[in-house]
């Protein structure tokens, strides 16, 4: 493998062909994304539940505790990690990431206990949060604004493939008694991400070199940049409320309302998944700076109509059909919002700090979504939870449409 070129501010990729993207530093970043998302799905989500309940015989609430720890640690680490990115050397940041992740695995191996696993997850979550900040910072430095939609579409597909791989591997290892295998594989994935990141950044470079220079020069904050951060943060928050709310309502909806098993529902949603992936690529490739919020508004209009269409149905085949436009809306919106996040952070004099707070908004939305929709379901019923989700989609349409008039994003 040829040496990877270092990531430098302004070294923008100028071609959107898949071959050129994969040969650029973006290809290395996609490798990092695959490693950390596969590790997350394997250790934190899939195998972790089996490990706690079947191997360590922990109380049934422990898997929920581990997911809560994962979310809360990422939430707290985002603004602190973003602040550090604008000041620390690249080598120090990358070493910190792998150190806390391997430290988490060391705690899990050394304690061989449920509580030790929870502490290990907290350390892993810290490294994962900072790694994602580095990935987005590097994407912004590496690619031209007009190609960010394309690059984030590839990022989304890579993340989905890694998550599916992690789930599959976790399910297989969960059927064995060799629990050490899963954590050893997770540690190997952390090391792979470390090697890829270290090859991207010379050890003496700063991750936010251009941002740090501008900050030192005392460039005043542009009020328009601040407004862009606020608008983007609100929409990203609402988007992740909707995404995690959809996940929260999915199980009760297919099990209680439609009477399907989760496996049957997964098979039924294969056409929607294919359409969502294709829409992700198409929306990403066609998106350009200045139009992203309008495009998000259009896609969420489609999504809102599809969600409201799910409220009254009882037939599985109708569910399969209605899920297709919903998947198209969600799949298409994701790269647009990620590209918007990059646009906003790169316009800031402190890119890392801007990224940190935008990721904080994302994490806050991920916590609020299940709480909001779960509360509606608990107070009323599952169909009301779906209707509340549709109302949330309408609010996102309003926010995105209004935001597109206030700022060019």
């Amino acid at each position: 493998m040829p040496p990877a070129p270092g990531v430098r501010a302004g070294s923008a990729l100028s071609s959107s062909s898949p071959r050129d993207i994969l040969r650029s530093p973006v290809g290395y970043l996609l490798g990092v994304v695959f490693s950390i998302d596969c590790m997350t799905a394997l250790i934190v989500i899939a195998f972790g539940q089996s490990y706690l309940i079947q191997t360590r015989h922990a109380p049934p609430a422990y898997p929920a505790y581990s997911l809560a720890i994962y979310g809360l640690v990422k939430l707290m680490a985002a603004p602190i990690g973003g602040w550090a990115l604008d000041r620390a050397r690249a080598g120090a940041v990358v070493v910190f990431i792998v150190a806390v992740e391997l430290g988490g695995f060391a705690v899990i191996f050394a304690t061989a206990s449920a509580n030790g696993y929870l502490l290990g997850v907290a350390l892993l979550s810290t490294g994962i949060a900072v790694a994602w900040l580095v990935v987005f910072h590097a994407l912004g430095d590496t690619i031209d604004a007009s190609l960010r939609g394309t690059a984030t579409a590839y990022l989304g597909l890579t993340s989905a493939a890694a998550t599916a791989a992690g789930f599959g591997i976790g399910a297989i290892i969960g059927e064995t008694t060799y629990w050490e295998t899963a954590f050893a594989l997770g540690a190997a994935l952390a090391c792979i991400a470390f090697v890829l990141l270290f090859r991207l950044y010379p050890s003496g470079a700063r991750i936010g070199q251009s941002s740090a220079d501008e900050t030192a020069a005392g460039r005043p904050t542009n009020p328009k940049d601040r407004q862009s951060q606020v608008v983007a943060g609100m929409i990203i928050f609402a988007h992740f409320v909707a995404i995690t709310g959809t996940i929260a309502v999915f199980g009760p909806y297919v099990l209680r309302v439609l009477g399907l098993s989760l496996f049957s529902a997964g098979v039924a949603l294969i056409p929607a998944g294919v359409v969502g992936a294709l829409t992700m690529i198409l929306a990403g490739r066609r998106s350009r700076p200045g139009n992203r919020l309008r495009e998000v508004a259009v896609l969420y209009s489609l999504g809102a109509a599809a969600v409201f269409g799910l409220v009254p149905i009882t037939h599985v085949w109708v569910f399969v059909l209605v899920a297709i436009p919903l998947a198209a809306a969600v799949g298409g919106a994701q790269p647009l919002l990620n590209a918007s996040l990059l646009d906003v952070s790169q316009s800031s004099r402190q890119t890392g700090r801007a990224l940190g707070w935008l990721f904080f908004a994302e994490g806050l939305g991920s916590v609020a979504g299940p709480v909001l929709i779960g509360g509606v379901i608990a107070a009323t019923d599952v169909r009301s939870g779906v209707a509340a989700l549709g109302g949330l989609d309408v609010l996102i349409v309003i926010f995105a449409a209004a935001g597109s008039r206030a700022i060019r994003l």
Side-chain angles (χ1 to χ4, degrees):
M1 182 180 293
V7 175
R8 303 183 306 276
S11 57
L13 183 68
S14 59
S15 171
S16 63
S17 73
R19 179 176 298 179
D20 289 339
I21 286 177
L22 293 176
R23 285 180 174 177
S24 74
V26 177
Y28 284 78
L29 291 171
L30 294 181
V32 174
V33 168
F34 187 92
S35 299
I36 60 178
D37 266 8
C38 187
M39 180 182 70
T40 302
L42 169 62
I43 303 302
V44 181
I45 302 174
F47 181 76
Q49 300 193 36
S50 171
Y51 175 74
L52 286 171
I53 300 301
Q54 296 180 341
T55 304
R56 296 301 164 207
H57 307 291
Y62 265 54
Y65 293 161
S66 70
L67 291 174
I69 289 171
Y70 171 73
L72 289 174
V73 169
K74 285 190 68 180
L75 191 66
M76 293 185 294
I80 299 172
W83 175 86
L85 253 60
D86 287 325
R87 289 159 176 81
R89 297 288 178 183
V93 174
V94 173
V95 169
F96 171 80
I97 291 169
V98 73
V100 293
E101 289 177 350
L102 294 182
F105 286 114
V107 168
I108 293 171
F109 276 112
T111 60
S113 67
N115 289 331
Y117 171 81
L118 296 182
L119 177 57
V121 165
L123 292 170
L124 287 174
S125 302
T126 303
I128 290 167
V130 178
W132 271 109
L133 289 170
V134 173
V135 165
F136 269 79
H137 203 307
L139 277 175
D141 280 346
T142 305
I143 56 177
D144 185 76
S146 63
L147 299 179
R148 286 174 186 156
T150 302
T152 53
Y154 285 117
L155 184 148
L157 292 176
T158 301
S159 177
T163 301
F167 267 101
I169 295 169
I172 293 171
I173 298 177
E175 296 299 316
T176 73
T177 58
Y178 304 106
W179 62 268
E180 299 91 345
T181 305
F183 297 116
L185 182 56
L189 289 167
C191 291
I192 291 171
F194 165 73
V195 170
L196 292 173
L197 283 173
F198 210 81
R199 295 191 70 177
L200 280 169
Y201 285 105
S203 59
R206 287 186 183 274
I207 289 178
Q209 188 71 55
S210 61
S211 299
D213 291 344
E214 289 175 342
T215 301
R219 182 170 66 86
T221 301
N222 187 337
K224 207 70 175 177
D225 294 344
R226 181 73 67 185
Q227 185 181 19
S228 297
Q229 290 180 34
V230 172
V231 171
M234 289 176 59
I235 295 174
I236 288 169
F237 167 80
H239 172 70
F240 276 88
V241 172
I243 294 297
T244 55
T246 301
I247 295 171
V249 81
F250 175 75
Y253 183 79
V254 299
L255 293 171
R256 298 283 181 87
V257 176
L258 298 180
L260 295 173
S261 68
L262 291 178
F263 177 79
S264 299
V267 173
L269 288 175
I270 289 176
V274 172
V275 171
L278 293 174
T279 308
M280 183 180 293
I281 296 173
L282 180 62
R285 291 182 68 88
R286 294 180 63 86
S287 177
R288 293 295 181 268
N291 296 321
R292 304 201 207 277
L293 292 187
R294 285 191 291 271
E295 294 164 353
V296 168
V298 171
L299 285 165
Y300 258 101
S301 298
L302 177 64
V307 171
F308 283 123
L310 290 174
V311 175
I313 68 171
T314 56
H315 299 290
V316 175
W317 65 269
V318 180
F319 166 69
V320 172
L321 292 177
V322 175
I324 291 175
L326 177 59
V330 173
Q334 189 64 48
L336 300 181
L337 288 169
N338 281 337
S340 298
L341 187 152
L342 288 174
D343 293 342
V344 170
S345 65
Q346 288 294 308
S347 70
S348 171
R349 66 173 184 166
Q350 292 179 300
T351 301
R353 184 178 179 183
L355 275 174
W357 285 110
L358 290 170
F359 270 76
F360 180 83
E362 175 184 313
L364 200 60
S366 298
V367 173
V371 172
L372 174 64
I373 299 303
V376 172
I377 293 173
T380 54
D381 58 19
V382 176
R383 291 188 189 275
S384 296
V386 177
L389 197 61
L392 181 62
D393 288 351
V394 171
L395 287 177
I396 295 175
V397 173
I398 295 171
F399 286 159
S404 68
R405 295 175 182 173
I407 60 173
R408 282 186 57 81
L409 188 60

